[in-house]
Amino acid sequence: MIGGFSRSIFHAQPGQLLTSLVIDALFLFLIGPTSGWATAVYIIFLPGFDLVSAVASFWNYVKDYRAGKLN
């Protein structure tokens, strides 16, 4: 299960990452954290995970490109 999860999240396309970021922004504006602690938790979990996913996806893209796996 973890193998499938890592392949889908950490090999994300730019459109998928943008969609995830837009959803995070909608959550921010619709729900709106009310305290400093809630804002910090929001930033760590939602956009923070998107950043980790983007960096890992970019790294995997470069690794696959160097190995000649991309067309």
Side-chain angles (χ1 to χ4, degrees), residues 2-3 5-6 8 11 21-23 28 33-35 40-42 46-47 67-68:
I2 299 221
F5 178 74
S6 67
S8 64
H11 285 88
L21 190 61
V22 168
I23 290 170
L28 177 65
T34 56
S35 68
V41 168
Y42 171 83
L46 292 176

Side-chain angles (χ1 to χ4, degrees), residues 1 4 6 8 10 14 16 26-28 33 38 40 47 54 57 64 69-70:
M1 180 171 152
S6 67
S8 64
F10 297 123
Q16 293 168 326
L26 286 174
F27 278 147
L28 177 65
S57 295
D64 290 345
K69 293 180 184 176
L70 297 176

Side-chain angles (χ1 to χ4, degrees), residues 12-65:
Q13 305 259 332
Q16 293 168 326
L17 294 171
L18 180 63
T19 302
S20 180
L21 190 61
V22 168
I23 290 170
D24 293 344
L26 286 174
F27 278 147
L28 177 65
F29 292 121
L30 293 177
I31 296 171
T34 56
S35 68
W37 177 250
T39 303
V41 168
Y42 171 83
I43 290 172
I44 289 169
F45 284 108
L46 292 176
F49 186 73
D50 289 344
L51 179 63
V52 168
S53 177
V55 169
S57 295
F58 178 74
W59 175 255
N60 286 326
Y61 173 80
V62 169
K63 195 168 61 171
D64 290 345
Y65 182 77

